[in-house]
Amino acid sequence: MTRRVLIAGNWKMNMLRADGEALATALASGVAPGSAADLLVCPPATLIASVAAKLSGSAVSVGGQDCHMNESGAHTGDIAAAMIKDLGAGYVIVGHSERRADHAESDETVKSKASAALAAALIPIICVGETEGERDAGKAESVVGSQLCGSIPESATEDTIVIAYEPVWAIGTGRTPTVDDIAAMHSHMRQVAGSVLGGSDNLRLLYGGSVKPGNAMEILALRDVDGALVGGASLKAEDFLGIAAAAE
Ligand code: PGA
């Protein structure tokens, strides 16, 4: 098995230029040389270029938080995948639950965005996850399974996409599923994604939702967890590097 751990930071709608560049500089100088994990930060689109410049030559990559499904055209305020790529990004998050909720993004939309990302030679990080009500109703696995089937584009392979499991109720709340629940969900996801993609031994499955330096090690130790998508704790270099160190 050759899956490299990916620790991805999702800065969300945070950081003006000075703070974002300072954080990028701190990450570039703080990252362990020859780190066992791939590190990635996804700043707001306004900062992708300047953060990429600060991280150039370091082991930390840059990504976007969303892209439009079309290549170009009359979509005021939107950003195409190729534009994100053009700024130095290698990845883009699609289908984050905040986008699914705030912008009513359906699985179909997420699939089109992931497809646009692939066409622009970006690696889409496709997010899925159940709400608290769905988990309480015993539907977590079926909800996540159907999000996966609806959101993975036909052009994807197990080597060209990343999937992040982010239970909605664990995002920004300080609550996480038990490690047994994470393990069970990731094993289910590997099976479902494997049947969609024709294989999933190489597919990287991230866990996201209240990952901190204190809980990263036990989560990252799980067999089917290949990294983390980190929100709040990615805004402080020390915390983000602490999570990366837990992957060693
Ligand atoms: P959190 O966010 O780490 O702040 O819970 C995770 C995410 O939404 O990607």
Side-chain angles (χ1 to χ4, degrees), residues 10 12 93 96-98 127 166 170-174 208-212 229-234:
N10 173 9
K12 306 193 179 183
I93 298 169
H96 189 282
S97 62
E98 288 152 15
C127 300
E166 297 206 308
I171 295 176
T173 59
S210 297
V211 177
K212 307 272 183 276
L229 181 53
V230 184
S234 72

